[in-house]
PDB file of all heavy atoms in Angstrom:
ATOM      1  N   THR A 123      28.989  87.013  44.280  1.00  0.00           N
ATOM      2  CA  THR A 123      28.354  87.339  43.004  1.00  0.00           C
ATOM      3  C   THR A 123      29.334  87.906  41.986  1.00  0.00           C
ATOM      4  O   THR A 123      28.947  88.194  40.858  1.00  0.00           O
ATOM      5  CB  THR A 123      27.210  88.353  43.219  1.00  0.00           C
ATOM      6  OG1 THR A 123      27.742  89.511  43.860  1.00  0.00           O
ATOM      7  CG2 THR A 123      26.096  87.736  44.059  1.00  0.00           C
ATOM      8  N   LEU A 124      30.595  88.063  42.379  1.00  0.00           N
ATOM      9  CA  LEU A 124      31.613  88.589  41.474  1.00  0.00           C
ATOM     10  C   LEU A 124      32.917  87.850  41.707  1.00  0.00           C
ATOM     11  O   LEU A 124      33.373  87.714  42.841  1.00  0.00           O
ATOM     12  CB  LEU A 124      31.828  90.092  41.718  1.00  0.00           C
ATOM     13  CG  LEU A 124      32.861  90.780  40.822  1.00  0.00           C
ATOM     14  CD1 LEU A 124      32.361  90.868  39.377  1.00  0.00           C
ATOM     15  CD2 LEU A 124      33.185  92.166  41.357  1.00  0.00           C
ATOM     16  N   LEU A 125      33.494  87.362  40.617  1.00  0.00           N
ATOM     17  CA  LEU A 125      34.821  86.744  40.658  1.00  0.00           C
ATOM     18  C   LEU A 125      35.779  87.637  39.896  1.00  0.00           C
ATOM     19  O   LEU A 125      35.427  88.155  38.830  1.00  0.00           O
ATOM     20  CB  LEU A 125      34.801  85.379  39.960  1.00  0.00           C
ATOM     21  CG  LEU A 125      34.526  84.143  40.771  1.00  0.00           C
ATOM     22  CD1 LEU A 125      34.587  82.906  39.871  1.00  0.00           C
ATOM     23  CD2 LEU A 125      35.452  83.996  41.947  1.00  0.00           C
ATOM     24  N   VAL A 126      36.983  87.809  40.428  1.00  0.00           N
ATOM     25  CA  VAL A 126      38.027  88.552  39.730  1.00  0.00           C
ATOM     26  C   VAL A 126      39.286  87.698  39.702  1.00  0.00           C
ATOM     27  O   VAL A 126      39.450  86.776  40.508  1.00  0.00           O
ATOM     28  CB  VAL A 126      38.312  89.924  40.387  1.00  0.00           C
ATOM     29  CG1 VAL A 126      37.085  90.818  40.331  1.00  0.00           C
ATOM     30  CG2 VAL A 126      38.792  89.762  41.812  1.00  0.00           C
ATOM     31  N   LEU A 127      40.166  88.015  38.777  1.00  0.00           N
ATOM     32  CA  LEU A 127      41.444  87.322  38.681  1.00  0.00           C
ATOM     33  C   LEU A 127      42.368  88.140  37.812  1.00  0.00           C
ATOM     34  O   LEU A 127      41.942  89.067  37.120  1.00  0.00           O
ATOM     35  CB  LEU A 127      41.278  85.910  38.109  1.00  0.00           C
ATOM     36  CG  LEU A 127      40.708  85.747  36.696  1.00  0.00           C
ATOM     37  CD1 LEU A 127      41.782  85.890  35.633  1.00  0.00           C
ATOM     38  CD2 LEU A 127      40.048  84.396  36.566  1.00  0.00           C
ATOM     39  N   ASP A 128      43.649  87.788  37.872  1.00  0.00           N
ATOM     40  CA  ASP A 128      44.592  88.388  36.938  1.00  0.00           C
ATOM     41  C   ASP A 128      45.503  87.293  36.421  1.00  0.00           C
ATOM     42  O   ASP A 128      45.682  86.255  37.054  1.00  0.00           O
ATOM     43  CB  ASP A 128      45.391  89.530  37.591  1.00  0.00           C
ATOM     44  CG  ASP A 128      46.343  89.059  38.660  1.00  0.00           C
ATOM     45  OD1 ASP A 128      45.930  88.983  39.836  1.00  0.00           O
ATOM     46  OD2 ASP A 128      47.504  88.761  38.337  1.00  0.00           O
ATOM     47  N   THR A 129      46.048  87.546  35.248  1.00  0.00           N
ATOM     48  CA  THR A 129      46.967  86.599  34.619  1.00  0.00           C
ATOM     49  C   THR A 129      48.014  87.383  33.843  1.00  0.00           C
ATOM     50  O   THR A 129      47.760  88.505  33.397  1.00  0.00           O
ATOM     51  CB  THR A 129      46.210  85.617  33.696  1.00  0.00           C
ATOM     52  OG1 THR A 129      47.096  84.573  33.280  1.00  0.00           O
ATOM     53  CG2 THR A 129      45.605  86.298  32.485  1.00  0.00           C
ATOM     54  N   ALA A 130      49.167  86.800  33.701  1.00  0.00           N
ATOM     55  CA  ALA A 130      50.255  87.466  32.989  1.00  0.00           C
ATOM     56  C   ALA A 130      49.849  87.757  31.546  1.00  0.00           C
ATOM     57  O   ALA A 130      49.185  86.943  30.897  1.00  0.00           O
ATOM     58  CB  ALA A 130      51.518  86.612  33.013  1.00  0.00           C
ATOM     59  N   SER A 131      50.270  88.932  31.060  1.00  0.00           N
ATOM     60  CA  SER A 131      49.993  89.296  29.665  1.00  0.00           C
ATOM     61  C   SER A 131      50.698  88.352  28.710  1.00  0.00           C
ATOM     62  O   SER A 131      50.172  88.018  27.649  1.00  0.00           O
ATOM     63  CB  SER A 131      50.462  90.728  29.390  1.00  0.00           C
ATOM     64  OG  SER A 131      49.810  91.628  30.231  1.00  0.00           O
ATOM     65  N   GLU A 132      51.898  87.927  29.080  1.00  0.00           N
ATOM     66  CA  GLU A 132      52.681  87.010  28.253  1.00  0.00           C
ATOM     67  C   GLU A 132      52.584  85.605  28.841  1.00  0.00           C
ATOM     68  O   GLU A 132      52.907  85.391  30.005  1.00  0.00           O
ATOM     69  CB  GLU A 132      54.146  87.437  28.236  1.00  0.00           C
ATOM     70  CG  GLU A 132      54.374  88.803  27.636  1.00  0.00           C
ATOM     71  CD  GLU A 132      55.819  89.248  27.780  1.00  0.00           C
ATOM     72  OE1 GLU A 132      56.722  88.396  27.682  1.00  0.00           O
ATOM     73  OE2 GLU A 132      56.027  90.447  28.020  1.00  0.00           O
ATOM     74  N   GLU A 133      52.137  84.674  28.058  1.00  0.00           N
ATOM     75  CA  GLU A 133      52.085  83.260  28.427  1.00  0.00           C
ATOM     76  C   GLU A 133      51.134  82.965  29.580  1.00  0.00           C
ATOM     77  O   GLU A 133      51.276  81.960  30.274  1.00  0.00           O
ATOM     78  CB  GLU A 133      53.489  82.727  28.738  1.00  0.00           C
ATOM     79  CG  GLU A 133      54.429  82.856  27.557  1.00  0.00           C
ATOM     80  CD  GLU A 133      55.824  82.356  27.851  1.00  0.00           C
ATOM     81  OE1 GLU A 133      55.984  81.512  28.761  1.00  0.00           O
ATOM     82  OE2 GLU A 133      56.754  82.797  27.162  1.00  0.00           O
ATOM     83  N   GLY A 134      50.169  83.835  29.841  1.00  0.00           N
ATOM     84  CA  GLY A 134      49.167  83.584  30.868  1.00  0.00           C
ATOM     85  C   GLY A 134      48.028  82.736  30.320  1.00  0.00           C
ATOM     86  O   GLY A 134      48.100  82.202  29.213  1.00  0.00           O
ATOM     87  N   ALA A 135      46.972  82.635  31.090  1.00  0.00           N
ATOM     88  CA  ALA A 135      45.840  81.774  30.741  1.00  0.00           C
ATOM     89  C   ALA A 135      44.634  82.570  30.255  1.00  0.00           C
ATOM     90  O   ALA A 135      43.491  82.164  30.452  1.00  0.00           O
ATOM     91  CB  ALA A 135      45.465  80.921  31.944  1.00  0.00           C
ATOM     92  N   ALA A 136      44.870  83.699  29.586  1.00  0.00           N
ATOM     93  CA  ALA A 136      43.773  84.564  29.130  1.00  0.00           C
ATOM     94  C   ALA A 136      42.751  83.802  28.294  1.00  0.00           C
ATOM     95  O   ALA A 136      41.540  83.979  28.477  1.00  0.00           O
ATOM     96  CB  ALA A 136      44.327  85.755  28.348  1.00  0.00           C
ATOM     97  N   GLY A 137      43.211  82.972  27.395  1.00  0.00           N
ATOM     98  CA  GLY A 137      42.289  82.217  26.534  1.00  0.00           C
ATOM     99  C   GLY A 137      41.346  81.335  27.332  1.00  0.00           C
ATOM    100  O   GLY A 137      40.144  81.274  27.045  1.00  0.00           O
ATOM    101  N   LEU A 138      41.860  80.663  28.336  1.00  0.00           N
ATOM    102  CA  LEU A 138      41.026  79.820  29.200  1.00  0.00           C
ATOM    103  C   LEU A 138      39.976  80.659  29.902  1.00  0.00           C
ATOM    104  O   LEU A 138      38.788  80.320  29.901  1.00  0.00           O
ATOM    105  CB  LEU A 138      41.891  79.093  30.232  1.00  0.00           C
ATOM    106  CG  LEU A 138      41.125  78.392  31.352  1.00  0.00           C
ATOM    107  CD1 LEU A 138      40.325  77.210  30.813  1.00  0.00           C
ATOM    108  CD2 LEU A 138      42.068  77.956  32.456  1.00  0.00           C
ATOM    109  N   TYR A 139      40.395  81.767  30.503  1.00  0.00           N
ATOM    110  CA  TYR A 139      39.458  82.592  31.262  1.00  0.00           C
ATOM    111  C   TYR A 139      38.373  83.170  30.359  1.00  0.00           C
ATOM    112  O   TYR A 139      37.207  83.230  30.751  1.00  0.00           O
ATOM    113  CB  TYR A 139      40.207  83.693  32.013  1.00  0.00           C
ATOM    114  CG  TYR A 139      41.227  83.145  32.983  1.00  0.00           C
ATOM    115  CD1 TYR A 139      42.511  83.656  33.035  1.00  0.00           C
ATOM    116  CD2 TYR A 139      40.914  82.091  33.838  1.00  0.00           C
ATOM    117  CE1 TYR A 139      43.454  83.144  33.926  1.00  0.00           C
ATOM    118  CE2 TYR A 139      41.848  81.567  34.722  1.00  0.00           C
ATOM    119  CZ  TYR A 139      43.111  82.104  34.761  1.00  0.00           C
ATOM    120  OH  TYR A 139      44.035  81.588  35.633  1.00  0.00           O
ATOM    121  N   GLU A 140      38.729  83.565  29.163  1.00  0.00           N
ATOM    122  CA  GLU A 140      37.729  84.104  28.237  1.00  0.00           C
ATOM    123  C   GLU A 140      36.739  83.019  27.812  1.00  0.00           C
ATOM    124  O   GLU A 140      35.537  83.281  27.714  1.00  0.00           O
ATOM    125  CB  GLU A 140      38.424  84.766  27.053  1.00  0.00           C
ATOM    126  CG  GLU A 140      39.123  86.055  27.484  1.00  0.00           C
ATOM    127  CD  GLU A 140      40.013  86.693  26.431  1.00  0.00           C
ATOM    128  OE1 GLU A 140      39.973  86.259  25.256  1.00  0.00           O
ATOM    129  OE2 GLU A 140      40.754  87.622  26.802  1.00  0.00           O
ATOM    130  N   LYS A 141      37.219  81.785  27.595  1.00  0.00           N
ATOM    131  CA  LYS A 141      36.316  80.676  27.260  1.00  0.00           C
ATOM    132  C   LYS A 141      35.339  80.398  28.398  1.00  0.00           C
ATOM    133  O   LYS A 141      34.225  79.923  28.163  1.00  0.00           O
ATOM    134  CB  LYS A 141      37.108  79.403  26.962  1.00  0.00           C
ATOM    135  CG  LYS A 141      37.778  79.399  25.618  1.00  0.00           C
ATOM    136  CD  LYS A 141      38.520  78.091  25.408  1.00  0.00           C
ATOM    137  CE  LYS A 141      39.494  78.211  24.252  1.00  0.00           C
ATOM    138  NZ  LYS A 141      40.351  77.041  24.129  1.00  0.00           N
ATOM    139  N   LEU A 142      35.760  80.696  29.636  1.00  0.00           N
ATOM    140  CA  LEU A 142      34.916  80.451  30.801  1.00  0.00           C
ATOM    141  C   LEU A 142      34.010  81.630  31.131  1.00  0.00           C
ATOM    142  O   LEU A 142      33.346  81.634  32.168  1.00  0.00           O
ATOM    143  CB  LEU A 142      35.783  80.093  32.006  1.00  0.00           C
ATOM    144  CG  LEU A 142      36.518  78.758  31.892  1.00  0.00           C
ATOM    145  CD1 LEU A 142      37.479  78.575  33.061  1.00  0.00           C
ATOM    146  CD2 LEU A 142      35.535  77.600  31.814  1.00  0.00           C
ATOM    147  N   GLY A 143      33.989  82.639  30.250  1.00  0.00           N
ATOM    148  CA  GLY A 143      33.055  83.741  30.409  1.00  0.00           C
ATOM    149  C   GLY A 143      33.567  84.948  31.171  1.00  0.00           C
ATOM    150  O   GLY A 143      32.788  85.846  31.494  1.00  0.00           O
ATOM    151  N   PHE A 144      34.861  84.997  31.448  1.00  0.00           N
ATOM    152  CA  PHE A 144      35.421  86.172  32.122  1.00  0.00           C
ATOM    153  C   PHE A 144      35.591  87.307  31.122  1.00  0.00           C
ATOM    154  O   PHE A 144      35.870  87.077  29.945  1.00  0.00           O
ATOM    155  CB  PHE A 144      36.772  85.836  32.762  1.00  0.00           C
ATOM    156  CG  PHE A 144      36.643  85.073  34.048  1.00  0.00           C
ATOM    157  CD1 PHE A 144      36.440  83.698  34.045  1.00  0.00           C
ATOM    158  CD2 PHE A 144      36.706  85.728  35.268  1.00  0.00           C
ATOM    159  CE1 PHE A 144      36.310  82.991  35.220  1.00  0.00           C
ATOM    160  CE2 PHE A 144      36.574  85.030  36.452  1.00  0.00           C
ATOM    161  CZ  PHE A 144      36.382  83.658  36.427  1.00  0.00           C
ATOM    162  N   THR A 145      35.414  88.529  31.600  1.00  0.00           N
ATOM    163  CA  THR A 145      35.524  89.733  30.785  1.00  0.00           C
ATOM    164  C   THR A 145      36.813  90.461  31.137  1.00  0.00           C
ATOM    165  O   THR A 145      37.095  90.689  32.323  1.00  0.00           O
ATOM    166  CB  THR A 145      34.327  90.669  31.047  1.00  0.00           C
ATOM    167  OG1 THR A 145      33.125  89.964  30.696  1.00  0.00           O
ATOM    168  CG2 THR A 145      34.423  91.942  30.223  1.00  0.00           C
ATOM    169  N   LEU A 146      37.561  90.847  30.115  1.00  0.00           N
ATOM    170  CA  LEU A 146      38.796  91.591  30.321  1.00  0.00           C
ATOM    171  C   LEU A 146      38.467  93.019  30.739  1.00  0.00           C
ATOM    172  O   LEU A 146      37.747  93.734  30.038  1.00  0.00           O
ATOM    173  CB  LEU A 146      39.628  91.603  29.039  1.00  0.00           C
ATOM    174  CG  LEU A 146      40.941  92.396  29.088  1.00  0.00           C
ATOM    175  CD1 LEU A 146      41.912  91.789  30.094  1.00  0.00           C
ATOM    176  CD2 LEU A 146      41.563  92.445  27.690  1.00  0.00           C
ATOM    177  N   ALA A 147      38.987  93.433  31.900  1.00  0.00           N
ATOM    178  CA  ALA A 147      38.796  94.807  32.366  1.00  0.00           C
ATOM    179  C   ALA A 147      39.897  95.704  31.839  1.00  0.00           C
ATOM    180  O   ALA A 147      39.674  96.888  31.593  1.00  0.00           O
ATOM    181  CB  ALA A 147      38.772  94.852  33.888  1.00  0.00           C
ATOM    182  N   GLY A 148      41.094  95.153  31.667  1.00  0.00           N
ATOM    183  CA  GLY A 148      42.206  95.952  31.167  1.00  0.00           C
ATOM    184  C   GLY A 148      43.541  95.313  31.481  1.00  0.00           C
ATOM    185  O   GLY A 148      43.621  94.227  32.054  1.00  0.00           O
ATOM    186  N   GLU A 149      44.584  96.007  31.083  1.00  0.00           N
ATOM    187  CA  GLU A 149      45.947  95.521  31.278  1.00  0.00           C
ATOM    188  C   GLU A 149      46.761  96.560  32.031  1.00  0.00           C
ATOM    189  O   GLU A 149      46.653  97.763  31.776  1.00  0.00           O
ATOM    190  CB  GLU A 149      46.614  95.241  29.930  1.00  0.00           C
ATOM    191  CG  GLU A 149      48.041  94.771  30.056  1.00  0.00           C
ATOM    192  CD  GLU A 149      48.688  94.419  28.722  1.00  0.00           C
ATOM    193  OE1 GLU A 149      48.066  94.656  27.671  1.00  0.00           O
ATOM    194  OE2 GLU A 149      49.820  93.906  28.749  1.00  0.00           O
ATOM    195  N   ILE A 150      47.566  96.087  32.964  1.00  0.00           N
ATOM    196  CA  ILE A 150      48.531  96.929  33.654  1.00  0.00           C
ATOM    197  C   ILE A 150      49.905  96.522  33.136  1.00  0.00           C
ATOM    198  O   ILE A 150      50.320  95.369  33.320  1.00  0.00           O
ATOM    199  CB  ILE A 150      48.464  96.747  35.179  1.00  0.00           C
ATOM    200  CG1 ILE A 150      47.062  97.057  35.703  1.00  0.00           C
ATOM    201  CG2 ILE A 150      49.519  97.626  35.860  1.00  0.00           C
ATOM    202  CD1 ILE A 150      46.855  96.689  37.159  1.00  0.00           C
ATOM    203  N   PRO A 151      50.629  97.434  32.476  1.00  0.00           N
ATOM    204  CA  PRO A 151      51.943  97.061  31.939  1.00  0.00           C
ATOM    205  C   PRO A 151      52.979  96.915  33.056  1.00  0.00           C
ATOM    206  O   PRO A 151      52.834  97.502  34.136  1.00  0.00           O
ATOM    207  CB  PRO A 151      52.291  98.225  31.014  1.00  0.00           C
ATOM    208  CG  PRO A 151      51.534  99.385  31.569  1.00  0.00           C
ATOM    209  CD  PRO A 151      50.275  98.815  32.177  1.00  0.00           C
ATOM    210  N   ASP A 152      54.006  96.121  32.789  1.00  0.00           N
ATOM    211  CA  ASP A 152      55.149  95.981  33.702  1.00  0.00           C
ATOM    212  C   ASP A 152      54.726  95.718  35.141  1.00  0.00           C
ATOM    213  O   ASP A 152      55.295  96.246  36.087  1.00  0.00           O
ATOM    214  CB  ASP A 152      56.025  97.240  33.649  1.00  0.00           C
ATOM    215  CG  ASP A 152      56.586  97.502  32.264  1.00  0.00           C
ATOM    216  OD1 ASP A 152      56.653  96.549  31.462  1.00  0.00           O
ATOM    217  OD2 ASP A 152      56.945  98.650  31.988  1.00  0.00           O
ATOM    218  N   PHE A 153      53.767  94.855  35.319  1.00  0.00           N
ATOM    219  CA  PHE A 153      53.178  94.604  36.634  1.00  0.00           C
ATOM    220  C   PHE A 153      54.079  93.772  37.549  1.00  0.00           C
ATOM    221  O   PHE A 153      54.156  94.005  38.737  1.00  0.00           O
ATOM    222  CB  PHE A 153      51.827  93.907  36.466  1.00  0.00           C
ATOM    223  CG  PHE A 153      51.040  93.765  37.728  1.00  0.00           C
ATOM    224  CD1 PHE A 153      50.354  94.844  38.264  1.00  0.00           C
ATOM    225  CD2 PHE A 153      50.964  92.545  38.389  1.00  0.00           C
ATOM    226  CE1 PHE A 153      49.611  94.716  39.428  1.00  0.00           C
ATOM    227  CE2 PHE A 153      50.228  92.409  39.557  1.00  0.00           C
ATOM    228  CZ  PHE A 153      49.550  93.491  40.076  1.00  0.00           C
ATOM    229  N   ALA A 154      54.739  92.766  36.975  1.00  0.00           N
ATOM    230  CA  ALA A 154      55.530  91.843  37.789  1.00  0.00           C
ATOM    231  C   ALA A 154      56.714  91.318  36.994  1.00  0.00           C
ATOM    232  O   ALA A 154      56.718  91.368  35.759  1.00  0.00           O
ATOM    233  CB  ALA A 154      54.655  90.678  38.249  1.00  0.00           C
TER     234      ALA A 154
END
Side-chain angles (χ1 to χ4, degrees):
T123 57
L124 181 69
L125 268 181
V126 297
L127 61 84
D128 68 270
T129 190
S131 301
E132 298 174 36
E133 300 179 24
L138 169 68
Y139 300 133
E140 290 172 10
K141 284 181 195 172
L142 293 173
F144 282 82
T145 300
L146 178 64
E149 178 177 6
I150 302 171
D152 300 339
F153 188 77

